[in-house]
């Protein structure tokens, strides 16, 4: 079984829309709906769990009815103290209906440009590995600074990559890797793959997708709005 865990627990309103960015309406539907539609329609996805704050779950149920046309939604998980705790909460809930050898695909609701090809790659390339991380090569020269004021050293950008979502993991191994970080170390985790690396899991890298950008700034939102308008809601 392949289960998608969609992270939508953020409550920040930095874009000035009055609602978390994943719930901003673009051409008549919230950003998260674009993710749900793409993931639900993928033949290799068997189930979907969504991490979302309680106050948004009523609205989400309405949006899910339209976006989840293959009826794969299994339920909500509660957000945690940070992103990784939200993931752990989702993993614990998923483990109640999935097996340890199943695969979990973790994706951010604020990345609505997810492609069928990227989902397929994450689910097929994991064969023989414990996890998959899509990456992009570094284009700019990368420098190391100990104090944030002076350059201390030059880093070899050919060995440095930028990670993307979605990431996929063998459920049982990844769940245990996160549990080992409780209660405090998990609060310092920034990227989904960090617990897997710390636990010594075999994580393979695959090519990421530059079009699969995360909506973080107003410029990102404007870019997405332009794409949707141009394509007529057909992503």
């Amino acid at each position: 079984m392949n289960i998608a865990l969609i992270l939508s627990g953020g409550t920040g309103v930095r874009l000035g829309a009055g609602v978390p960015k994943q719930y901003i309406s673009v051409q008549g539907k919230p950003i998260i709906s674009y993710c749900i539609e793409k993931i639900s329609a993928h033949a290799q996805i068997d189930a979907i769990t969504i991490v979302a704050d309680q106050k948004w779950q009523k609205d989400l149920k309405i949006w899910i009815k339209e976006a989840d046309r293959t009826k794969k939604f299994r339920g909500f998980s509660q957000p945690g103290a940070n992103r990784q705790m939200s993931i752990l909460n989702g993993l614990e809930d998923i483990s109640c209906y999935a097996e340890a050898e199943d695969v979990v695909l973790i994706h951010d609701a604020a990345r609505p440009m997810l492609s069928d090809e990227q989902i397929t790659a994450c689910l097929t390339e994991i064969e023989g590995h414990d996890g998959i991380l899509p990456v992009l090569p570094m284009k700019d020269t990368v420098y190391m600074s100990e104090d944030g004021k002076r350059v201390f050293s030059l880093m070899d950008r050919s060995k440095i990559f930028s990670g993307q979502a979605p990431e996929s993991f063998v459920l049982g191994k990844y769940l245990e890797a996160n549990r080992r970080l409780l209660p405090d170390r998990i609060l310092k985790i920034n990227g989904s793959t960090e617990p897997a690396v710390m636990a010594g899991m075999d994580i393979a890298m695959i090519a990421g997708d530059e079009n699969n950008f995360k909506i973080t700034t107003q410029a990102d939102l404007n870019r997405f709005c332009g794409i949707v308008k141009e394509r007529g809601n057909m992503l």
Side-chain angles (χ1 to χ4, degrees):
M1 179 184 284
N2 297 318
I3 307 100
L5 177 61
I6 301 177
L7 304 179
S8 188
T11 58
V13 292
R14 287 179 295 172
L15 292 183
V19 299
K21 58 189 175 184
Q22 64 271 27
Y23 303 132
I24 295 174
S25 180
V26 176
Q27 293 290 69
K29 59 186 179 183
I31 288 171
I32 189 175
S33 287
Y34 292 92
C35 293
I36 297 172
E37 286 177 356
K38 182 67 66 174
I39 291 172
S40 176
H42 198 281
Q44 289 178 261
I45 295 294
D46 301 298
I48 298 171
T49 289
I50 300 176
V51 176
D53 190 89
Q54 181 71 39
K55 70 177 182 180
W56 285 101
Q57 291 181 12
K58 183 177 180 180
D59 289 322
L60 274 164
K61 288 178 181 177
I62 296 173
W63 298 329
I64 289 168
K65 285 182 179 180
E66 177 63 26
D68 180 27
R69 296 175 184 175
T70 57
K71 309 302 180 184
K72 295 177 181 178
F73 176 66
R74 291 293 189 94
F76 294 109
S77 293
Q78 291 300 311
N82 70 341
R83 183 177 185 275
Q84 201 62 36
M85 276 300 301
S86 292
I87 290 175
L88 178 56
N89 290 345
L91 295 174
E92 295 284 8
D93 290 338
I94 289 171
S95 69
C96 294
Y97 66 80
E99 302 295 331
E101 65 271 18
D102 289 339
V103 172
V104 59
L105 180 90
I106 299 175
H107 191 61
D108 295 309
R111 286 186 186 267
M113 292 295 295
L114 178 62
S115 69
D116 291 329
E117 293 77 14
Q118 192 77 90
I119 297 174
T120 299
C122 286
L123 297 178
T124 56
E125 297 296 327
I126 197 172
E127 183 69 29
H129 301 285
D130 297 327
I132 290 293
L133 172 65
V135 299
L136 295 173
M138 297 299 295
K139 294 181 178 180
D140 299 316
T141 303
V142 182
Y143 299 92
M144 178 67 181
S145 175
E146 296 289 346
D147 58 8
K149 298 179 180 180
R150 295 176 296 160
V151 174
F152 279 74
S153 62
L154 175 66
M155 304 184 73
D156 184 354
R157 68 182 181 187
S158 68
K159 298 180 180 179
I160 299 173
F161 299 86
S162 175
Q164 282 191 311
E167 295 135 293
S168 61
F169 306 96
V170 175
L171 175 60
K173 291 182 178 181
Y174 187 57
L175 174 57
E176 182 58 31
N178 279 271
R179 286 172 174 169
R180 290 176 188 170
L181 299 178
L182 292 171
D184 299 321
R185 285 191 296 165
I186 196 168
L187 299 177
K188 299 178 181 179
I189 299 297
N190 295 310
S192 305
T193 300
E194 287 183 40
V197 174
M198 294 168 70
M201 292 173 60
D202 171 23
I203 307 300
M205 298 192 307
I206 61 171
D209 179 2
E210 290 189 349
N211 293 318
N212 183 25
F213 61 93
K214 186 175 182 179
I215 296 178
T216 303
T217 67
Q218 185 63 49
D220 297 327
L221 179 59
N222 293 342
R223 179 184 175 188
F224 179 63
C225 289
I227 292 172
V228 174
K229 185 176 181 179
E230 179 183 343
R231 299 184 184 180
N233 273 13
M234 299 300 293
L235 298 182

